[in-house]
Amino acid sequence: MQPIQLFDPASSTYTYLIFDPDTREAVIIDPVDEQLERDMAALGEHGLRLVWSVETHTHADHITSAALLAEHAGARTAAPEGCGIGTAAVQLKNGDVLRFGGEELKALHTPGHTAGSMCYLWRGNVFTGDTLLINGCGRTDFQSGSAAALYRSLTEILFRLDDETVVWPAHDYNGRSHSTIGAEKAGNARVAGKTLAEFTSIMNELHLPKPKRLDEAVPANRHSGLRHDAGGGPAAPRNTAGYAGDVEPQLACEWWQKGDAILVDVRTDAEREWVGFVPGAVPLPWKKWPGMALNEEFDESLKAAVPPGKKAVFMCRSGVRSIAAAKRATELGIEAYNVLEGFEGDPDENGQRGKRGGWRLRGLPWRQG
Ligand SMILES: N[C@@H](CCC(=O)N[C@@H](CS)C(=O)NCC(=O)O)C(=O)O
Ligand SMILES: [Fe+2]
């Protein structure tokens, strides 16, 4: 069985979907935020239930959709422990195994492209991230990269796998899809037959331009792709594109209690019942993801709930769906805000939600469902 390989042309990134054919539980590796709609469609098409969203490293060239997939598809997030992705629910160590149905994905710590980078093994396949590319390898000139560490990871970890192991990289800039350990060991232009000194000198002479989205991508990817600051922030609304602004839960509550705003809870009925709800908030589940057909029922209920002249503040679990809903409300002519950190807050380093904020942990009104 082969992984499903998906390509993002803007960043030349490969995303992989693998699954257990019996239970249909699936894992996605290195998803790209702009491709959320494609990936949701792929899950639907193959009848898959996404249980894990996994990163090979903190990407510098695109933003992950891990947080979006957690919200929209219910995936748990996992990332290498050395990558500074504190929002990932599981921090992977070398040798750790992620289970999906009866299948296992095994993490191998392969530092070099970045200090935390990992590769993942599954049924004779290795997902090499930017550690090993086809006839190439990841650069080592930023994000705590190290040519010496990469040389060790390539020659002492990856090249010791069986020659037949199929190599699935995170990028290819020349249209190639996969390779094998045997082929790379024999012919990879940067590392095959090279000494450490030769490899280091090749890496030092690359002089590649900095990835165009580096400054935007790295901070966002450390928060699983959430673009807002998970640590709190200013009390005043922050400007955003496509809706009126992001607000702290306290400010949203103040507006709502003064009668200036309607509070709209876009979580599903099950989430509200299970986790807790805000008495007086309008329940209006947001079940769409970007690009999906608009839902007239949502629009009509929203227009009925928000009288002219009032603001609407949208809340979900951690602040992803609420942004989508605030954007839609804006299109409908409503002054719409997003409640930062949602009801439960982003997870902390240990996967515990709410410690960094969120409506529930800030002493704002709520009740168990
Ligand atoms: N041109 C791309 C960046 C390409 C790039 O630097 N890719 C990284 C992976 S994130 C790399 O390691 N490339 C190795 C190589 O091109 O040899 C962009 O602007 O986003
Ligand atoms: Fe990379």
Side-chain angles (χ1 to χ4, degrees):
M1 200 168 66
Q2 282 213 340
I4 298 167
Q5 187 180 45
L6 302 153
F7 187 64
D8 173 55
S11 62
S12 298
T13 300
Y14 283 125
T15 294
Y16 298 94
L17 258 181
I18 56 176
F19 61 92
D20 175 349
D22 298 326
T23 63
R24 314 304 284 178
E25 289 188 349
V27 175
I28 197 163
I29 301 172
D30 289 337
V32 174
D33 68 346
E34 272 105 357
Q35 299 294 347
L36 179 67
E37 193 188 338
R38 175 202 69 188
D39 298 344
M40 293 298 291
L43 291 168
E45 198 180 302
H46 296 275
L48 305 178
R49 188 166 76 79
L50 194 64
V51 292
W52 291 108
S53 177
V54 186
E55 308 294 328
T56 53
H57 62 294
T58 307
H59 299 279
D61 59 336
H62 67 271
I63 294 177
T64 175
S65 63
L68 291 166
L69 288 166
E71 288 274 356
H72 291 283
R76 295 187 75 204
T77 52
E81 65 168 356
C83 283
I85 307 174
T87 45
V90 171
Q91 300 287 323
L92 294 165
K93 294 185 179 35
N94 186 45
D96 278 357
V97 163
L98 289 177
R99 296 201 158 75
F100 53 112
E103 300 284 318
E104 291 186 345
L105 185 73
K106 185 175 175 192
L108 296 179
H109 182 211
T110 51
H113 172 56
T114 72
S117 288
M118 282 186 161
C119 297
Y120 298 101
L121 280 172
W122 172 71
R123 285 188 180 219
N125 299 281
V126 61
F127 301 94
T128 53
D130 293 351
T131 300
L132 175 61
L133 303 177
I134 299 170
N135 199 25
C137 61
R139 60 197 293 172
T140 51
D141 57 338
F142 56 64
Q143 286 186 288
S144 56
S146 154
L150 185 57
Y151 185 80
R152 269 195 306 275
S153 292
L154 290 166
T155 57
E156 292 175 25
I157 302 174
L158 294 181
F159 288 174
R160 289 188 184 168
L161 299 172
D162 291 344
D163 279 358
E164 303 73 47
T165 309
V166 185
V167 170
W168 301 96
H171 299 287
D172 192 85
Y173 302 102
N174 297 298
R176 296 158 301 192
S177 64
H178 60 286
S179 179
T180 61
I181 289 294
E184 295 308 318
K185 204 155 64 176
N188 186 294
R190 288 193 189 158
V191 65
K194 300 282 194 284
T195 62
L196 169 62
E198 287 165 338
F199 179 76
T200 306
S201 130
I202 291 171
M203 295 311 288
N204 289 344
E205 293 306 313
L206 288 179
H207 304 302
L208 297 167
K210 170 177 137 165
K212 291 186 278 301
R213 298 181 67 191
L214 177 79
D215 297 332
E216 168 202 17
V218 171
N221 286 329
R222 291 212 176 107
H223 292 101
S224 301
L226 290 172
R227 289 172 205 233
H228 62 253
D229 173 1
R238 287 194 235 169
N239 289 333
T240 44
Y243 57 104
D246 289 325
V247 289
E248 295 289 322
Q250 283 94 334
L251 183 60
C253 187
E254 216 174 281
W255 285 352
W256 171 56
Q257 289 181 329
K258 276 200 304 200
D260 294 346
I262 304 293
L263 178 59
V264 183
D265 186 337
V266 297
R267 293 173 303 155
T268 62
D269 296 345
E271 282 176 283
R272 275 183 289 105
E273 276 160 32
W274 183 248
V275 184
F277 69 101
V278 180
V282 176
L284 195 48
W286 177 263
K287 293 174 182 158
K288 303 192 285 293
W289 52 86
M292 213 180 137
L294 293 168
N295 174 348
E296 279 175 23
E297 208 181 298
F298 180 88
D299 292 356
E300 290 314 312
S301 313
L302 183 62
K303 283 190 276 189
V306 185
K310 292 227 179 180
K311 303 175 184 24
V313 288
F314 292 89
M315 184 169 69
C316 63
R317 182 166 72 159
S318 69
V320 174
R321 281 167 293 179
S322 49
I323 291 178
K327 286 185 179 164
R328 179 60 192 154
T330 306
E331 287 168 3
L332 298 174
I334 295 170
E335 185 184 341
Y337 295 84
N338 160 55
V339 178
L340 281 169
E341 298 278 324
F343 186 72
E344 291 179 68
D346 285 338
D348 68 7
E349 294 72 17
N350 303 315
Q352 291 289 104
R353 283 187 177 271
K355 291 229 177 97
R356 295 174 194 250
W359 185 281
R360 189 176 59 175
L361 269 246
R362 297 203 188 186
L364 303 175
W366 74 282
R367 267 201 244 129
Q368 198 71 52

